[in-house]
Amino acid sequence: FSLSVAYFYFIGFTFQFACAAIACRDRFLMINEKLSRKNFFTYYEMQAYIELYQKLLKIIEHINEYLTPPLIPVFTMFLVLETFMTYTVVRLLLHPGNQHFMIALNSLWSSIYFYLSMVAMHSSESAFKEGFRFKNICYEILCFKGASIESTRTLKMFLASITHSRLQLRTIFFDINWMLLLEMCATITMFIIITIQFDTSL
C-alpha cells in the first residue's frame, strides 16, 4: 500500500513540474510571436516586453526553488526501478520459459517510468528553448528591425543579463534536460551489461 502511495506522489510531482514548465513555455511563445510580428518598437513597448520576460524568469526561479527538489527522489526511484525492471526483462529473455506475463508486466512498468521521465525532460527542454529564442529574436530586432535609441540601449543591457543558467530548469544536483535522460539510459545499460557478464561468468 505504501509503495502505491509513493507511486501516486511521484507521478503527481512529475506532472506538477511538467505543467508549470509547459505553462512557462507557452508564455515565452506568446511573447516571441508578438515580438517577431512587429517591425518597430518604441521604448515603452520594449520595456513592457522586458518586464513580462523578467516575470517569466522569476517564475523559473520559483519552479527551481519549489518544484524541482521533489524530482530528486523521483528520478532516483525511476533510475532504480528502471534498472531492475529492465534487468529482469533481459534476464528472462536470456533464460526462455513460461515467463511471458512477467516480461510483459515489467516491460509495461518500465515503459511507464521511461514515459514519465520523457514528459519531465521534454517540458523542461521546450521551456528552455523557447525562452532562449527570445534572445535570438531580440538580436534580429537590433540588427534588422527598427527601434528607438532608448529601447535599443535597454534591450542590449537586458540581453546581457540573460544567461543559460537563468533559463535552465534544474535541481541542486542536475539539469533537467535530454542529457540527463541519456545519462540515465547509459547507467542502466552499463549496469545490465556488467551484471549479465558477472552472471554468465559464474
Side-chain angles (χ1 to χ4, degrees), residues 75 79 114 117-118 120-126 128-129 164 168-170 173-188:
F75 282 123
L79 178 62
F114 192 74
S117 299
M118 289 184 64
M121 308 304 174
H122 170 72
S123 59
S124 176
E125 193 74 14
S126 61
F128 171 80
K129 288 183 177 179
H164 181 281
Q168 182 65 62
L169 292 165
R170 56 154 60 95
F173 297 114
F174 50 78
D175 294 343
I176 303 171
N177 52 31
W178 292 117
M179 185 58 66
L180 174 62
L181 187 61
L182 291 176
E183 290 172 354
M184 290 172 65
C185 292
T187 302
I188 293 169

Side-chain angles (χ1 to χ4, degrees), residues 157-171:
M157 292 176 61
F158 179 66
L159 288 176
S161 69
I162 301 176
T163 60
H164 181 281
S165 60
R166 293 190 70 188
L167 290 168
Q168 182 65 62
L169 292 165
R170 56 154 60 95
T171 69

Side-chain angles (χ1 to χ4, degrees), residues 3-150:
L3 189 59
S4 300
V5 173
Y7 287 152
F8 175 78
Y9 277 107
F10 287 159
I11 291 171
F13 286 140
T14 301
F15 279 100
Q16 182 184 43
F17 165 80
C19 289
I22 290 173
C24 199
R25 178 204 66 187
D26 290 344
R27 282 154 180 79
F28 277 132
L29 178 62
M30 292 175 63
I31 293 175
N32 292 336
E33 291 298 319
K34 287 181 178 291
L35 276 173
S36 60
R37 291 193 190 123
K38 291 184 67 67
N39 293 318
F40 184 83
F41 298 88
T42 65
Y43 172 76
Y44 297 105
E45 286 176 325
M46 187 56 65
Q47 192 66 30
Y49 283 116
I50 289 174
E51 287 177 4
L52 285 173
Y53 197 87
Q54 286 176 327
K55 289 179 180 179
L56 289 174
L57 291 176
K58 198 68 177 177
I59 291 174
I60 289 179
E61 290 180 7
H62 288 319
I63 293 174
N64 286 336
E65 185 177 359
Y66 299 111
L67 298 184
T68 61
L71 294 182
I72 297 172
V74 167
F75 282 123
T76 302
M77 178 184 175
F78 284 172
L79 178 62
V80 172
L81 292 177
E82 190 75 33
T83 300
F84 284 104
M85 287 184 179
T86 305
Y87 171 75
T88 301
V89 171
V90 173
R91 184 73 183 268
L92 292 175
L93 290 174
L94 291 175
H95 299 83
N98 296 322
Q99 302 289 340
H100 303 296
F101 175 76
M102 290 301 298
I103 292 174
L105 182 63
N106 282 279
S107 298
L108 175 63
W109 279 107
S110 178
S111 300
I112 292 173
Y113 296 138
F114 192 74
Y115 171 75
L116 289 172
S117 299
M118 289 184 64
V119 167
M121 308 304 174
H122 170 72
S123 59
S124 176
E125 193 74 14
S126 61
F128 171 80
K129 288 183 177 179
E130 202 60 47
F132 201 79
R133 193 164 76 94
F134 177 85
K135 290 190 71 171
N136 297 330
I137 294 174
C138 289
Y139 282 127
E140 290 180 8
I141 292 171
L142 292 173
C143 296
F144 305 110
K145 295 184 180 182
S148 65
I149 297 174
E150 294 85 355

